[in-house]
Amino acid sequence: MTDLDLLRACQRNDPRAQTALYHRFRGRLMGLCRRYARSRPEAEDMFQEGFIRIFQQLHTIEQPDRLLPWMKRVMVNTAINIYHKNHRLQAETDYEAAQDIGTDDHLETLARLSADELVVLVQDLPDGYRMVFNLHVVDGFNHPEIAQMLGISEGTSKSQLARARAALKEKLKKLGIVRYEHS
């Protein structure tokens, strides 16, 4: 079944098509949820809530080529909503620590890790750091967008990204993946 056929059948509330859609995109969307959640059970809850929203709003999609990007966006928004519901952000702005590290060195380091290893390291970050890291580094949002989505200042977004990177770098040092620099 093509994505167009699947989309149209789901829009007609065909249960078999809905099951097929769920199974076709489960792996990708669950992976996204795992990056934003602190644990696998939290990711599963996030995934289920996101899929409920997808099925509720599926009638709004007209172009099958926009289906996956739209579903990813629904999952990211679900993650953000759960984050807001469970963890009220403290306005933590540290402009001195808000230096945006302007290198892509972390990309080479992250490429050496398996997806599961990276998920575990990111899941262990404090909530605000994890959200900003995922939104910026993994999903490509800029700081003004992140600030708007999370209801924080751009400075806080930058600060939390810098701190997330520093925390990840420390974890990688402990694993022997990044060597210690002498300063």
Side-chain angles (χ1 to χ4, degrees), residues 104-114 117-118 121 168-169 171-173 176-179:
D104 288 334
D105 293 344
H106 65 283
L107 296 176
E108 181 181 325
T109 301
L110 295 178
R112 287 189 269 161
L113 295 174
S114 74
E117 289 170 323
L118 179 58
L121 289 174
L168 286 172
K169 190 172 184 177
K171 290 173 189 236
L172 294 171
K173 283 179 183 178
I177 296 174
V178 173
R179 61 186 164 81

Side-chain angles (χ1 to χ4, degrees), residues 21-79:
L21 179 80
Y22 179 89
H23 289 292
R24 182 175 291 181
F25 295 105
R26 184 179 200 287
R28 285 185 231 170
L29 298 176
M30 182 60 167
L32 184 148
C33 291
R34 284 191 61 209
R35 285 189 286 111
Y36 282 92
R38 278 179 294 180
S39 65
R40 186 164 190 89
E42 185 179 58
E44 289 168 355
D45 290 345
M46 190 181 293
F47 174 77
Q48 294 301 327
E49 188 172 324
F51 243 102
I52 290 168
R53 290 179 181 169
I54 286 169
F55 284 130
Q56 289 172 338
Q57 298 299 315
L58 203 54
H59 66 277
T60 64
I61 298 297
E62 292 298 322
Q63 300 171 327
D65 62 325
R66 298 296 311 146
L67 182 61
L68 181 58
W70 175 78
M71 290 193 316
K72 285 180 177 180
R73 182 64 182 206
V74 169
M75 288 296 177
V76 168
N77 287 337
T78 300

